[in-house]
Amino acid sequence: MADELDLTGNKTNASYDESNIVTLEWYEHIRHRPGMYIGRLGDGTYDNDGIYVLLKEVMDNSIDEFMMGFGNKIEVTITDHARVSVRDYGRGIPLGKVVDVVSKMNTGGKYDSSAFKKSIGLNGVGIKAVNALSTSCVVEAIRDGQKKRVEFSKGVVVKEYDIEPTKEKNGTRVSFDPDATLFENYQYNDDFIIKMMKNYSYLNRGLSLVFNGETYKSDNGVVDLLQQNMSDDAVYPIIHLECDDLELAITHANHYGEEYYSFANSQNTTQGGTHLIAFKEAIVKTVREFYGKDFDVNDIRSGITAVVSIKVQEPIFESQTKTKLGSKEMAPSDAQDNPLAGVTIRQFMLDFVTEQLDNYLHRNPETARALQDKIKDSESERKAISGIQKQAREKAKKANLHNKKLRDCTLHYTSNSDLKEDTCIFITEGDSASGSITKARDANTQAVFSLRGKPLNTFGLKRDIVYKNEEFYLLQAALDIEEGIDNLRYNKVIVATDADVDGMHIRLLVITFFLQFFPEVIRNGHLFILETPLFRVRNKQKTIYCYSEEERDKAISKLGAKPEITRFKGLGEINWEEFREFINENMRLSPVNMKKDDAVKELLEFYMGKNTSSRQHFIIDNLVVEEDLVEEEQYD
């Protein structure tokens, strides 16, 4: 029978009968569609890679035990950056149900709200995903002097032990090895794990988390969290407000933009959700009412830095990875014996913030004055550049942004649509480089913005320069971040420059721009550097792209017989067909991160400030003369 064509003109097999219907075992479905359960695979390079989601799924079960009042210590051990063990001291899985809890869908204690009232997850999928995506998963439950141990591999029971007596304390131990055939060359990064442990400790006062022998515990909760993460000094002392179901830490700092750390039931909701939206509304409403003035929203929230941590009964997250809270109510309308049943998160937040923040400002007049001064400073600056903004917009129209500077993609997201993980924009310099990327890109998800020459050094300049400088204003317009990053049109902002001195300088200038005026782009993990190969090593049978001299040497040894070696000196030298190999789903990206310990101001002053004798001496003392240039020329 001849093939038929579908609506897109592709061939399709016309046959469709019972033989086409496939039923997968639960673990087969997870392994076949891991993205549905853990978001992405990855190798541990980024903090949202799947191996960290697996750890978090196990940790969340232990945290839920603590939240219910059982066990105040959790021990996490990672051996050789690969094998994970999590031991809690909660109630322990009921011994007769260990296999079911770990390997049967729609099975778990969290369906019984009396056992888990405000847990992170309710459907029990997380631990099953850990089991299915691990070559080895061992679960041990200890209850009242007895222990049950079950060993799994890729979701299948390998060995089930009889219940035996033990002197161990009650609790659960889960040990697993992520499947290296799925998480290729994976390796846990201790920095990401430590950040996770610290966040858990901040949100669960009294809980001790031990990671590879190091203990993390917080006495001041979200106040500690805010102090540890702020990259600028606070304008006024941190305001700490809390009740049984909500904890807030609020201040303002002398930076542009807004900085939020939001959590729901101890889950870091990096994409916010209903609780963060409600908090932003509540802050504006309360400030306006307290001062009796209709301050502009942007003036009130400019420079705000806050932690929002809420506890919701039976939370609804918008995906299995739980990065955005979708719940509308504090507790379901039919929740028994819960005074918050049917109360919306918005109303709860408005009532709490309106009363508690208003009371705090009345009791602390110095803080109230400092907050008002900060708002007025933001207002003055905004008004001062309003005329410049208008001129810049007119210039943008004449510059014909979307035809000359920006090659947009078709699936970029806005604040009114779902976040698309794979949308990105490449910021590059020069016609040849931008031309290569534009031809090679996936036009559905990848946009290109072309800079003209080296951008301006914005260190120490005020916000009006964004509107006076055409390049940076058009970049801001392309990203749609003038009113904040809620409208950011791309998930990843990728700086793509040559791997030479000039390219590195352009990188620094672009990063300085974001640090100076839009630091939340960096804080929220949106800024990356594209790593492109330095060498191409090939013979008639195979081509290997190398990102370092070490990789080049290994490729030469592997191919043998004097292969052809090309040293790429710029992106423009890489033809667009080759470029497809470097900007596909496996492209190498280095995230630009900001931490509390980073001395951002000092670093910018030293590297991007006026030429100083100390920097001149640094350059002289650290000047490196390449002695193997002749050798590289021979390779070329």
Side-chain angles (χ1 to χ4, degrees):
M1 182 176 180
D3 288 337
E4 296 181 356
L5 298 179
D6 64 16
L7 293 177
T8 63
N10 295 319
K11 289 183 178 180
T12 114
N13 191 336
S15 65
Y16 177 63
D17 55 29
E18 287 83 354
S19 65
N20 297 109
I21 306 301
V22 178
T23 300
L24 298 176
E25 293 288 346
W26 67 271
Y27 53 85
E28 292 176 316
H29 189 269
I30 294 175
R31 292 179 63 81
H32 190 60
R33 294 281 189 267
M36 291 178 59
Y37 300 90
I38 62 170
R40 55 176 287 160
L41 292 173
D43 60 4
T45 301
Y46 308 116
D47 61 3
N48 64 339
D49 281 351
I51 59 172
Y52 303 109
V53 178
L54 298 185
L55 170 59
K56 197 175 70 57
E57 292 290 359
V58 179
M59 286 289 299
D60 287 348
N61 290 332
S62 298
I63 295 294
D64 287 341
E65 283 292 310
F66 172 78
M67 290 174 66
M68 289 300 296
F70 301 95
N72 59 4
K73 182 168 73 171
I74 301 172
E75 298 167 342
V76 180
T77 304
I78 299 182
T79 308
D80 298 326
H81 298 281
R83 181 167 179 78
V84 180
S85 176
V86 179
R87 170 67 155 103
D88 68 43
Y89 295 87
R91 291 165 289 186
I93 302 170
L95 304 188
K97 291 290 184 178
V98 172
V99 174
D100 292 353
V101 166
V102 182
S103 63
K104 286 187 179 181
M105 285 296 188
N106 304 318
T107 303
K110 297 176 186 179
Y111 294 103
D112 180 355
S113 61
S114 65
F116 291 91
K117 290 184 178 179
K118 293 172 183 173
S119 61
I120 298 173
L122 292 175
N123 53 24
V125 171
I127 189 65
K128 279 87 167 176
V130 175
N131 190 5
L133 299 175
S134 299
T135 50
S136 172
C137 180
V138 180
V139 181
E140 297 171 280
I142 302 100
R143 288 174 70 101
D144 303 325
Q146 293 184 306
K147 179 166 74 172
K148 175 72 174 180
R149 176 186 172 100
V150 185
E151 298 175 0
F152 301 85
S153 179
K154 301 177 183 178
V156 179
V157 175
V158 174
K159 187 172 183 179
E160 181 177 356
Y161 294 78
D162 293 334
I163 295 174
E164 60 182 29
T166 181
K167 293 183 179 179
E168 291 188 64
K169 294 181 179 180
N170 284 1
T172 302
R173 180 185 293 109
V174 177
S175 304
F176 64 94
D177 293 279
D179 189 342
T181 64
L182 299 174
F183 308 94
E184 295 184 19
N185 301 313
Y186 79 88
Q187 187 175 44
Y188 280 96
N189 184 319
D190 285 358
D191 289 341
F192 296 154
I193 307 297
I194 291 170
K195 181 180 178 181
M196 186 188 300
M197 297 300 113
K198 286 182 176 180
N199 279 345
Y200 277 128
S201 70
Y202 297 142
L203 298 165
N204 298 277
R205 278 178 289 180
L207 173 64
S208 294
L209 295 119
V210 183
F211 170 54
N212 284 356
E214 191 73 26
T215 300
Y216 300 91
K217 187 176 181 180
S218 172
D219 295 324
N220 302 308
V222 298
V223 174
D224 286 342
L225 191 158
L226 201 58
Q227 288 176 336
Q228 289 299 312
N229 285 279
M230 286 184 63
S231 53
D232 291 285
D233 294 334
V235 173
Y236 53 84
I238 293 173
I239 300 171
H240 183 214
L241 308 173
E242 65 176 328
C243 64
D244 289 343
D245 298 288
L246 182 62
E247 189 171 8
L248 306 173
I250 310 162
T251 189
H252 279 72
N254 288 314
H255 59 67
Y256 294 105
E258 304 166 39
E259 184 177 344
Y260 300 104
Y261 304 91
S262 72
F263 302 84
N265 294 20
S266 295
Q267 169 64 33
N268 189 189
T269 46
T270 54
Q271 295 179 33
T274 51
H275 58 318
L276 186 55
I277 293 171
F279 172 75
K280 291 179 180 180
E281 180 185 352
I283 283 290
V284 172
K285 179 178 182 292
T286 304
V287 167
R288 284 174 172 171
E289 291 178 354
F290 178 81
Y291 294 107
K293 294 184 179 180
D294 191 24
F295 289 125
D296 186 274
V297 171
N298 295 311
D299 297 332
I300 294 172
R301 299 203 312 234
S302 178
I304 192 172
T305 305
V307 178
V308 181
S309 177
I310 198 168
K311 293 179 182 177
V312 180
Q313 186 170 326
E314 298 189 21
I316 299 171
F317 295 99
E318 294 195 1
S319 69
Q320 174 59 28
T321 52
K322 306 182 184 77
T323 54
K324 187 174 184 180
L325 181 67
S327 298
K328 304 295 184 185
E329 300 174 334
M330 292 296 295
S333 300
D334 58 355
Q336 298 179 356
D337 302 324
N338 192 327
L340 295 176
V343 176
T344 65
I345 289 175
R346 176 181 178 275
Q347 193 58 54
F348 178 80
M349 185 73 74
L350 284 171
D351 291 345
F352 179 81
V353 174
T354 300
E355 178 182 354
Q356 297 299 320
L357 181 56
D358 183 84
N359 289 344
Y360 186 95
L361 293 175
H362 274 103
R363 293 168 183 163
N364 297 271
E366 290 186 5
T367 295
R369 282 193 294 271
L371 174 56
Q372 186 177 36
D373 290 344
K374 172 61 178 172
I375 294 171
K376 288 184 175 180
D377 287 345
S378 298
E379 182 181 53
S380 298
E381 184 174 6
R382 177 177 56 82
K383 290 180 177 179
I385 65 176
S386 60
I388 301 172
Q389 284 178 304
K390 184 177 180 180
Q391 294 174 6
R393 291 189 182 105
E394 291 301 319
K395 281 186 179 180
K397 290 178 182 178
K398 294 179 181 178
N400 202 355
L401 170 65
H402 290 278
N403 288 333
K404 293 185 177 180
K405 303 293 292 182
L406 175 68
R407 281 86 167 182
D408 208 352
C409 59
T410 58
L411 295 181
H412 65 77
Y413 64 86
T414 68
S415 58
N416 297 318
S417 62
D418 292 335
L419 180 72
K420 295 180 177 65
E421 283 288 331
D422 51 356
T423 55
C424 64
I425 182 170
F426 296 99
I427 301 174
T428 189
E429 184 271 329
D431 293 337
S432 58
S434 63
S436 294
I437 295 180
T438 299
K439 287 183 180 179
R441 68 179 175 140
D442 178 351
N444 288 319
T445 59
Q446 296 177 327
V448 181
F449 183 90
S450 178
L451 292 169
R452 185 181 61 217
K454 286 187 180 180
L456 178 71
N457 180 1
T458 59
F459 174 68
L461 302 180
K462 291 188 176 181
R463 186 68 173 267
D464 60 354
I465 197 63
V466 177
Y467 302 95
K468 291 179 179 178
N469 182 272
E470 183 177 296
E471 291 291 297
F472 280 137
Y473 178 73
L474 293 178
L475 175 58
Q476 173 191 251
L479 299 177
D480 195 13
I481 54 177
E482 182 177 351
E483 302 297 332
I485 69 165
D486 285 347
N487 297 322
L488 181 64
R489 299 170 75 234
Y490 314 93
N491 184 38
K492 292 184 175 70
V493 179
I494 302 170
V495 182
T497 61
D498 294 343
D500 59 10
V501 174
D502 286 338
M504 294 293 288
H505 190 200
I506 293 171
R507 286 186 191 181
L508 289 174
L509 292 168
V510 174
I511 293 172
T512 300
F513 165 74
F514 283 108
L515 283 172
Q516 188 77 2
F517 302 117
F518 301 101
E520 63 270 33
V521 171
I522 298 176
R523 291 192 187 99
N524 289 26
H526 293 294
L527 190 62
F528 297 83
I529 302 297
L530 175 67
E531 301 296 341
T532 52
L534 295 175
F535 303 95
R536 179 181 60 209
V537 181
R538 65 183 177 184
N539 57 24
K540 293 182 179 180
Q541 290 76 39
K542 191 172 184 178
T543 299
I544 301 176
Y545 297 99
C546 309
Y547 291 77
S548 66
E549 293 181 359
E550 183 180 2
E551 289 186 19
R552 177 201 63 191
D553 294 341
K554 288 181 180 179
I556 293 171
S557 299
K558 186 174 183 178
L559 296 183
K562 294 185 178 180
E564 174 191 333
I565 297 97
T566 301
R567 170 68 159 89
F568 295 120
K569 297 178 181 178
L571 299 184
E573 293 184 353
I574 305 175
N575 68 57
W576 68 271
E577 285 105 341
E578 286 183 298
F579 231 114
R580 284 178 175 167
E581 299 293 322
F582 317 133
I583 60 172
N584 58 24
E585 65 276 6
N586 296 316
M587 63 179 165
R588 296 195 189 188
L589 296 176
S590 296
V592 180
N593 298 315
M594 281 180 67
K595 297 184 294 185
K596 167 70 176 179
D597 296 336
D598 292 336
V600 176
K601 290 181 180 179
E602 290 79 3
L603 285 171
L604 286 176
E605 178 67 44
F606 183 80
Y607 288 105
M608 308 305 292
K610 295 180 180 179
N611 287 321
T612 62
S613 58
S614 59
R615 189 166 73 202
Q616 292 171 2
H617 290 312
F618 174 83
I619 293 172
I620 294 170
D621 293 341
N622 292 274
L623 186 65
V624 175
V625 178
E626 298 260 358
E627 295 182 354
D628 59 347
L629 288 176
V630 175
E631 180 183 354
E632 288 196 8
E633 287 297 326
Q634 290 175 350
Y635 283 139
D636 291 342

